[in-house]
Amino acid sequence: MFDLVDSTIFFASYGNVFGLDNIAISSFDILLAYIVAILVAILVALALKIPLLPSKPYRYSFDVSAIYPTPIIAIGILSIFLVLNYTFVYNGLVLAAVIGVLSALFVKYLFYLVFPKPLDEDNGEGIDE
């Protein structure tokens, strides 16, 4: 029993505290890349005339906005690249900016093709159409 606990702690500390031994950049650079991806995604979404907030009532709205899901998609894709240890140049800042632009373009032009709106129960059409 104690050997199992000891070996688990040893292997966790051997790789990294969080088990992310394949990420070669510092945690500050990772945080900065996430912030750049979020800001670029929101700014490009606003430039593409995506509204800042969805239509009211917010709770039942299936509209896209610059706040949600644009930066969420950007940080998700950036996370995949960081875990695969692909940071490109400047410790991932250029990659974060490119992913922010591409996620805003995806939300503007392809989001409803990939994720269609749910059907309205009354007439069988998409909600908000």
Side-chain angles (χ1 to χ4, degrees):
M1 174 71 181
F2 292 111
D3 289 336
L4 179 63
V5 173
D6 183 43
S7 64
T8 304
I9 293 172
F10 171 72
F11 285 118
S13 65
Y14 177 72
N16 193 344
V17 176
F18 303 108
L20 300 174
D21 59 337
N22 58 340
I23 296 179
I25 60 177
S26 69
S27 60
F28 177 75
D29 291 332
I30 293 171
L31 182 66
L32 191 62
Y34 281 133
I35 291 171
V36 167
I38 290 169
L39 290 178
V40 168
I42 290 173
L43 292 176
V44 172
L46 290 175
L48 291 172
K49 306 281 192 230
I50 297 175
L52 182 64
L53 295 172
S55 61
K56 290 185 179 180
Y58 301 130
R59 186 173 178 180
Y60 299 109
S61 178
F62 289 99
D63 295 336
V64 295
S65 66
I67 300 296
Y68 182 81
T70 310
I72 309 304
I73 292 171
I75 62 174
I77 294 172
L78 181 63
S79 297
I80 293 171
F81 279 100
L82 289 178
V83 167
L84 293 175
N85 201 16
Y86 183 76
T87 55
F88 197 50
V89 294
Y90 299 116
N91 291 334
L93 294 179
V94 174
L95 180 68
V98 169
I99 288 173
V101 169
L102 292 178
S103 67
L105 290 171
F106 172 78
V107 168
K108 175 70 176 181
Y109 297 111
L110 297 174
F111 186 79
Y112 289 122
L113 293 174
V114 177
F115 306 108
K117 290 183 179 181
L119 294 177
D120 190 10
E121 294 178 1
D122 298 333
N123 57 5
E125 296 179 3
I127 295 175
D128 298 333
E129 289 183 0

